């Protein structure tokens, strides 16, 4: 049971980190200056410039969606990631099918596959890939109706039945359209889910505020979102990406002085937004807590942790 609780705590933090990263990216991206550059470059006929105000509104919608993802309950957040994973798997199935059809068109071989080893290898590879995609989608969505995710296998079945290659291209487009219609049907059938979630969340917030007050509500959200750990993990991810981007662009090893300069520069680069600065604050606080714990252990041993009040932290 303890392992399950620890796993849930890790998921509660890990699944919310992308929402803070999205907030950080939206803060860095200045939409107005982006379209001003397009206008100065005499590209007013650019389709992007015509959708300027739509992009500005979508920028603010991105903020709202990021905050919603940040405060979404863990169960719904896990379900949302599973839906996103299913969409990625369906896209992978589409790519496998498209690559297979393209390779068949390039080979221009329409005879039986067992007479052509290369054609048989392509068919076997694509079939295994599609079966893996269908199985994973069925497991993620927790359904036994695997045929819902097997539309991209139609070109393979058509090739097995010696259908002409031009017809296989049409069948592949039909499979893509059918999968898109399935996705649209799923989105349409769950169109009111965000509204119902927002309505129930508003009702619960009102009840908590009326009974316990705003302070209790803030403390409850603070504990549920694990804000210090969440922002610390977010900042450590930014710092790791900064270090990785530096070493990935260099071929020769850096000196000791260069490593110290890189360490300080990376810390400075990870403080350019309020979110990253807040992440550094919590990271420093945890480092200070670790140093304090080591000092207490060095001075008093295990006795220092017997009567350690949590409020002293």
């Amino acid at each position: 049971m303890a392992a399950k609780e620890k796993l849930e705590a890790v998921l509660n933090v890990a699944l919310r980190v992308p929402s803070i990263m999205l907030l950080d990216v939206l803060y860095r991206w200045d939409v107005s200056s982006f379209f001003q550059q397009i206008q100065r470059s005499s590209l007013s006929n650019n389709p992007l410039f015509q959708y300027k105000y739509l992009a500005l509104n979508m920028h603010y919608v991105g903020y709202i969606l990021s905050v919603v993802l940040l405060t979404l309950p863990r169960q719904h957040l896990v379900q949302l990631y599973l839906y996103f994973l299913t969409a990625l798997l369906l896209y992978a199935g589409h790519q496998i099918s498209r690559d297979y059809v393209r390779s068949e068109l390039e080979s221009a071989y329409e005879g039986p596959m067992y007479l052509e080893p290369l054609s048989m290898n392509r068919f076997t590879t694509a079939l295994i890939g599609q079966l893996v995609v269908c199985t994973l989608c069925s497991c993620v969505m927790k359904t036994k109706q695997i045929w819902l995710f097997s539309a991209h296998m139609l070109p393979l079945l058509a090739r097995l039945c010696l259908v002409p290659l031009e017809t296989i291209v049409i069948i592949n487009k039909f499979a893509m359209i059918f999968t898109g219609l399935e996705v649209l049907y799923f989105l349409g059938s769950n169109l009111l889910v965000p509204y119902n979630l927002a309505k129930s969340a508003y009702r619960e917030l009102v009840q908590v505020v009326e009974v316990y007050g705003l302070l209790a509500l803030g403390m409850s959200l603070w504990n549920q979102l694990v804000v210090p750990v969440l922002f610390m993990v977010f900042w450590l991810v930014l710092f790791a990406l900064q270090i990785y981007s530096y070493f990935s662009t260099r071929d020769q090893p850096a000196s000791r002085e260069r490593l110290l300069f890189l360490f300080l520069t990376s810390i400075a680069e990870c403080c350019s937004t309020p979110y990253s600065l807040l992440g550094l604050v919590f990271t420093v606080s945890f480092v200070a807590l670790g140093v304090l714990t080591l000092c207490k252990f060095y001075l008093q041993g295990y006795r220092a942790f017997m009567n350690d009040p949590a409020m002293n932290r």
Side-chain angles (χ1 to χ4, degrees):
M1 192 64 181
K4 181 180 179 181
E5 292 178 356
K6 291 181 180 179
L7 179 60
E8 290 178 352
V10 172
L11 286 176
N12 188 38
V13 173
L15 296 180
R16 300 183 193 278
V17 171
S19 59
I20 304 181
M21 298 193 72
L22 182 58
L23 285 172
D24 190 77
V25 170
L26 290 173
Y27 186 87
R28 295 172 186 268
W29 183 40
D30 191 355
V31 184
S32 300
S33 62
F34 174 72
F35 283 102
Q36 287 176 3
Q37 292 177 0
I38 295 179
Q39 189 176 13
R40 284 196 298 267
S41 60
S42 301
L43 294 177
S44 299
N45 295 327
N46 194 309
L48 292 175
F49 187 76
Q50 298 177 4
Y51 297 100
K52 173 182 178 180
Y53 297 103
L54 178 61
L56 288 173
N57 293 328
M58 292 301 296
H59 187 255
Y60 297 117
V61 170
Y63 274 108
I64 297 174
L65 291 178
S66 300
V67 174
V68 170
L69 291 178
L70 183 62
T71 57
L72 203 63
R74 186 182 63 252
Q75 303 91 324
H76 298 287
L77 196 60
V78 171
Q79 197 67 31
L80 183 63
Y81 275 96
L82 291 179
Y83 292 153
F84 183 71
L85 178 60
T86 304
L88 290 179
L89 290 172
L90 290 176
Y91 178 76
H94 165 67
Q95 289 294 110
I96 293 173
S97 179
R98 189 184 67 173
D99 293 341
Y100 174 74
V101 173
R102 181 185 302 170
S103 61
E104 289 296 311
L105 289 175
E106 291 176 355
S107 66
Y109 175 73
E110 297 186 0
M113 291 178 297
Y114 58 87
L115 297 179
E116 178 65 29
L118 293 178
S119 180
M120 191 65 188
N121 290 335
R122 289 193 297 267
F123 178 83
T124 305
T125 304
L127 180 61
I128 293 175
Q130 294 291 2
L131 289 177
V132 171
V133 168
C134 294
T135 304
L136 290 177
C137 289
S138 178
C139 294
V140 170
M141 297 300 293
K142 297 180 181 179
T143 178
K144 295 182 179 180
Q145 298 177 345
I146 195 172
W147 60 270
L148 292 172
F149 315 103
S150 58
H152 292 303
M153 296 183 66
L154 291 178
L156 298 176
L157 296 177
R159 183 67 183 89
L160 189 62
C161 298
L162 300 180
V163 175
L165 296 179
E166 293 79 7
T167 309
I168 292 180
V169 175
I170 300 175
I171 293 175
N172 186 39
K173 292 181 180 179
F174 170 77
M176 183 178 62
I177 294 173
F178 181 79
T179 305
L181 291 177
E182 283 185 325
V183 173
L184 291 177
Y185 174 77
F186 177 81
L187 293 177
S189 60
N190 294 275
L191 193 60
L192 296 179
V193 171
Y195 171 76
N196 294 330
L197 285 176
K199 186 177 179 181
S200 60
Y202 175 77
R203 190 183 300 113
E204 291 179 3
L205 290 177
V206 170
Q207 291 177 355
V208 172
V209 171
E210 290 179 353
V211 177
Y212 302 103
L214 286 174
L215 182 59
L217 176 62
M219 292 297 296
S220 176
L221 290 176
W222 183 278
N223 294 327
Q224 290 181 6
L225 299 179
V226 201
V227 173
V229 179
L230 179 61
F231 275 90
M232 182 192 68
V233 173
F234 159 68
W235 191 87
L236 290 177
V237 170
L238 282 183
F239 184 74
L241 291 176
Q242 188 72 24
I243 297 293
Y244 174 77
S245 63
Y246 173 80
F247 282 105
S248 62
T249 56
R250 291 182 61 90
D251 298 330
Q252 54 184 352
S255 61
R256 181 178 301 178
E257 293 78 9
R258 185 66 181 175
L259 288 177
L260 179 60
F261 178 77
L262 169 65
F263 179 77
L264 298 176
T265 305
S266 299
I267 293 178
E269 288 293 332
C270 295
C271 299
S272 57
T273 63
Y275 310 104
S276 56
L277 186 60
L278 189 60
L280 178 62
V281 169
F282 286 116
T283 303
V284 171
S285 68
F286 277 102
V287 171
L289 177 61
V291 173
L292 176 62
T293 303
L294 290 176
C295 292
K296 292 175 67 175
F297 178 75
Y298 176 76
L299 294 175
Q300 303 179 18
Y302 291 103
R303 295 177 300 174
F305 307 102
M306 292 181 180
N307 298 316
D308 184 24
M311 291 302 295
N312 287 342
R313 299 181 180 183

